[in-house]
Amino acid sequence: MAVLFARIKATFFLLFLPFFCFGQPTPPLLRFSILLEPSNTVYLRWDHDEQEMMTFELQVHTTGWVAFGFSPHGELPGSDIVIGGVFPNGSIYFSVS
């Protein structure tokens, strides 16, 4: 499981790095998407390749941070969580717990 989430962390980093470094990247071609809440403020896109490497894009109206969890059973206990955001000074943080 740790290897999978290390690959996800790297994918998130690679997915968002061009956005922070170059402004307007070409969005990845992600075939699947869903709005995750009724107010339409959380939008998830994802896809996978032939080696089953998954790529996620999470678009959220937020005040500066977002968390996204992965769980085989749909509950918080035992899940893996990705947290990222922007500090008031503009620096970016990203972690997997």
Side-chain angles (χ1 to χ4, degrees), residues 45-84:
R45 295 175 56 209
W46 73 97
D47 206 345
H48 60 88
D49 62 15
E50 295 79 28
Q51 292 81 33
E52 297 195 21
M53 171 67 102
M54 296 200 67
T55 302
F56 295 93
E57 176 184 288
L58 188 61
Q59 298 176 10
V60 181
H61 294 277
T62 180
T63 58
W65 68 275
V66 66
F68 185 72
F70 298 89
S71 169
H73 44 72
E75 296 178 3
L76 185 59
S79 65
D80 293 296
I81 300 172
V82 178
I83 302 169

Side-chain angles (χ1 to χ4, degrees), residues 32-52:
F32 309 101
S33 64
I34 189 169
L35 288 166
L36 294 177
E37 69 176 51
S39 63
N40 297 334
T41 59
V42 181
Y43 181 58
L44 176 65
R45 295 175 56 209
W46 73 97
D47 206 345
H48 60 88
D49 62 15
E50 295 79 28
Q51 292 81 33
E52 297 195 21

